[in-house]
Amino acid sequence: MSETKYCIPCIKGSRLSCTLVGALSVLLNLRDTVVLLHGTPGCAHYGMKFCQQMLMRKQELLPDFGLPNIRFTSTGMTENELIFGGEEKLSRKISETLEQFPGRPLLVIPSCTVEVIGDDVSGVCDAMAEETRRQVIYFNMGGFLKGDHYEGINTAYLDVIDRFLAPSSAVDSGLVNLVAEPGIMPIADFDYWEIRRLLQKIGLRINTRFIVDLPFEDLPKVTRAGLNLPAARNQSLAVCSHLHERFGMPYISQGFPSGFKDTREWLDAILTSLGMKVDLNGIMEKEKRFFVEEVERLGNPFKGLRVIVNAAPVHLGWLMEFLDLVQADLVEVNLLNTRYFEADFLDDPGTFSCPVNKGLGPEEMLARNCDQKADLYLQSFFHQAPLPHLQPGLLVKEVPLHPPVGPRGMLDLFADWSRWMRFTGVEGWRHESLERLA
């Protein structure tokens, strides 16, 4: 069996795609630019899929049921260019693209095949920029040769910072930046609305979503914010740290909060960093009271259910809070022995008020689940073998890999799961007998 797949560089223990995928997920969010991939049609497939995802996220209508004028293109290198080099084809493609998109900067990304055959992509970009008097900007990625998905994200952000940002002479402490949001995910905009709502409660405004939906000409505005807020601690701190090193911009270490405890700590970290004083107790009491009242108003199918959580060793504090607030009975938590990520990539799962079994394999977990006979099993995305053939009446629901953001995110999750529990015939979830929930 080929060992090729094990040659992929490991970033914090992960082997997740390549730098190209990470870079595209960032740069395609930068508005008023065009992205040119110098590589094969197979690599270009990623770019087109991301464009499709972003169109769906924005719910844009496709004219005449066809693709609109997408800001992504590729050289689509053939076998001939892979043998004899693709610099000439790249020059022609740059010229065509600049003509097709007048006035827009062109961002050029090479794939790993280009790095292997040795095309001088940087030199071609510089020559074409001088010839056309247009911005033709080279991003040094190189696919699998330069790292994985997260390395591509960080490299793209750091390149944008170094190339296009400058210190601001008018920093406003009332403005904050949201840094490194997962811009191709539909959930990103829902998270943004909740974060904006929470910031408004403490008198702050969002300056930019760096880089989601940010016009290219607005990049200089980034450095006028008084504070940077990373979207995810594990994946965004490198970007915040680089902004701090280059421009002295402060940032907090917490990512977007999940649950009430996280939200309070997140707001407190922001206020402390900016030297502000706000009645957080009053804010959080109102948030929790609203959640409880809405749960009762909508009807609470979780009350009294015996629940088992089967999860990867990620932060689960928000889920424990959720189950407590909806008055479910948490029987136990089973943490998987997962090889997908090493420990330094994962969060502390937190503390639990029930028995916790750590480092289990799927077979051990299945045996424990059969013994406990719970009403509802909340199962981690990382579980590769769903839990089949348990007792009648089994309900299995997937724990979201991307935790709900803020109190309203928790309420949205409650509404979603409540609908599912009343109509469990939704494709993908097992349902055998639910007399007690009827």
Side-chain angles (χ1 to χ4, degrees):
M1 176 177 156
S2 171
E3 296 297 316
T4 303
K5 64 179 180 179
Y6 299 115
C7 297
I8 301 172
C10 296
I11 307 301
K12 292 189 175 179
S14 64
R15 291 189 178 93
L16 296 176
S17 196
C18 68
T19 56
L20 171 65
V21 178
L24 288 174
S25 71
V26 173
L27 298 179
L28 286 172
N29 275 283
L30 189 57
R31 286 168 48 189
D32 307 323
T33 63
V34 183
V35 177
L36 168 58
L37 168 66
H38 184 35
T40 62
C43 294
H45 168 76
Y46 283 113
M48 291 305 299
K49 292 299 290 183
F50 285 167
C51 288
Q52 181 186 35
Q53 285 277 70
M54 294 170 73
L55 286 166
M56 293 172 63
R57 179 169 69 83
K58 291 301 180 185
Q59 296 180 340
E60 295 183 14
L61 297 177
L62 304 182
D64 300 323
F65 301 99
L67 287 174
N69 203 11
I70 295 293
R71 299 181 296 105
F72 172 78
T73 188
S74 171
T75 53
M77 295 176 68
T78 64
E79 184 176 320
N80 185 65
E81 286 89 37
L82 292 176
I83 295 173
F84 298 105
E87 293 179 11
E88 183 178 343
K89 186 167 188 176
L90 174 61
S91 297
R92 291 198 307 270
K93 192 66 178 181
I94 289 176
S95 181
E96 293 170 5
T97 306
L98 291 176
E99 184 177 350
Q100 182 183 0
F101 296 93
R104 293 190 178 186
L106 180 61
L107 314 180
V108 181
I109 306 176
S111 69
C112 51
T113 53
V114 170
E115 295 288 326
V116 169
I117 66 175
D119 276 0
D120 183 11
V121 181
S122 178
V124 172
C125 290
D126 290 343
M128 293 300 297
E130 184 176 355
E131 177 184 330
T132 61
R133 297 294 187 264
R134 294 276 299 278
Q135 287 182 293
V136 182
I137 304 153
Y138 166 67
F139 283 82
N140 184 14
M141 291 299 160
F144 287 120
L145 298 181
K146 296 295 177 67
D148 76 349
H149 175 87
Y150 295 111
E151 186 73 5
I153 290 175
N154 288 337
T155 301
Y157 270 110
L158 269 55
D159 274 3
V160 168
I161 291 169
D162 292 339
R163 291 172 184 268
F164 306 123
L165 301 192
S168 174
S169 58
V171 175
D172 186 343
S173 60
L175 298 176
V176 299
N177 292 321
L178 308 186
V179 177
E181 297 173 80
I184 63 170
M185 295 174 59
I187 195 68
D189 289 333
F190 292 98
D191 292 349
Y192 161 72
W193 294 328
E194 174 65 353
I195 292 297
R196 184 179 65 177
R197 186 185 71 86
L198 292 171
L199 291 172
Q200 287 173 343
K201 287 185 173 295
I202 59 174
L204 296 176
R205 293 174 292 124
I206 294 174
N207 177 45
T208 66
R209 299 174 69 184
F210 184 59
I211 281 178
V212 177
D213 291 336
L214 182 64
F216 182 81
E217 62 181 16
D218 286 348
L219 278 171
K221 295 180 180 180
V222 172
T223 53
R224 72 179 185 179
L227 185 65
N228 288 324
L229 306 179
R233 181 179 67 84
N234 284 330
Q235 300 165 25
S236 311
L237 282 185
V239 185
C240 289
S241 176
H242 196 65
L243 286 166
H244 177 70
E245 292 171 5
R246 287 294 310 275
F247 309 113
M249 300 183 73
Y251 64 95
I252 64 173
S253 60
Q254 295 95 324
F256 290 171
S258 300
F260 292 90
K261 182 175 181 292
D262 271 6
T263 298
R264 179 182 171 76
E265 292 176 354
W266 181 75
L267 290 172
D268 186 56
I270 293 172
L271 294 171
T272 300
S273 181
L274 295 174
M276 298 171 60
K277 291 187 178 180
V278 173
D279 180 16
L280 277 186
N281 289 331
I283 291 174
M284 295 312 300
E285 284 175 7
K286 289 181 180 178
E287 292 290 330
K288 186 170 289 189
R289 184 165 61 249
F290 180 80
F291 179 91
V292 172
E293 289 173 353
E294 284 296 289
V295 165
E296 292 302 316
R297 185 182 70 83
L298 296 171
N300 184 6
F302 293 92
K303 189 172 183 179
L305 288 188
R306 300 178 73 252
V307 179
I308 287 179
V309 174
N310 302 311
V314 294
H315 178 55
L316 295 171
W318 66 270
L319 183 58
M320 302 302 106
E321 273 192 310
F322 177 85
L323 294 173
D324 180 59
L325 288 169
V326 299
Q327 302 178 60
D329 179 16
L330 182 59
V331 177
E332 70 178 16
V333 173
N334 298 313
L335 297 180
L336 286 161
N337 178 20
T338 176
R339 295 186 297 274
Y340 289 94
F341 301 101
E342 292 179 354
D344 63 347
F345 194 83
L346 298 171
D347 290 317
D348 178 5
T351 57
F352 308 96
S353 59
C354 64
V356 180
N357 304 299
K358 298 182 179 180
L360 299 181
E363 295 79 10
E364 298 171 290
M365 188 176 294
L366 182 62
R368 291 205 60 84
N369 290 172
C370 288
D371 291 341
Q372 292 292 349
K373 296 182 173 59
D375 302 307
L376 173 63
Y377 296 83
L378 298 178
Q379 179 174 309
S380 170
F381 166 81
F382 288 113
H383 199 305
Q384 291 302 291
L387 307 177
H389 312 305
L390 299 188
Q391 70 279 2
L394 172 67
L395 276 173
V396 178
K397 186 63 172 171
E398 186 175 288
V399 176
L401 179 62
H402 182 75
V405 168
R408 296 298 166 86
M410 293 264 280
L411 191 58
D412 288 342
L413 183 72
F414 169 81
D416 177 53
W417 282 4
S418 294
R419 285 192 298 269
W420 166 75
M421 291 185 71
R422 292 185 174 91
F423 305 99
T424 52
V426 176
E427 182 179 357
W429 306 112
R430 299 186 67 245
H431 167 223
E432 294 175 2
S433 174
L434 293 173
E435 287 85 356
R436 65 169 298 180
L437 296 177

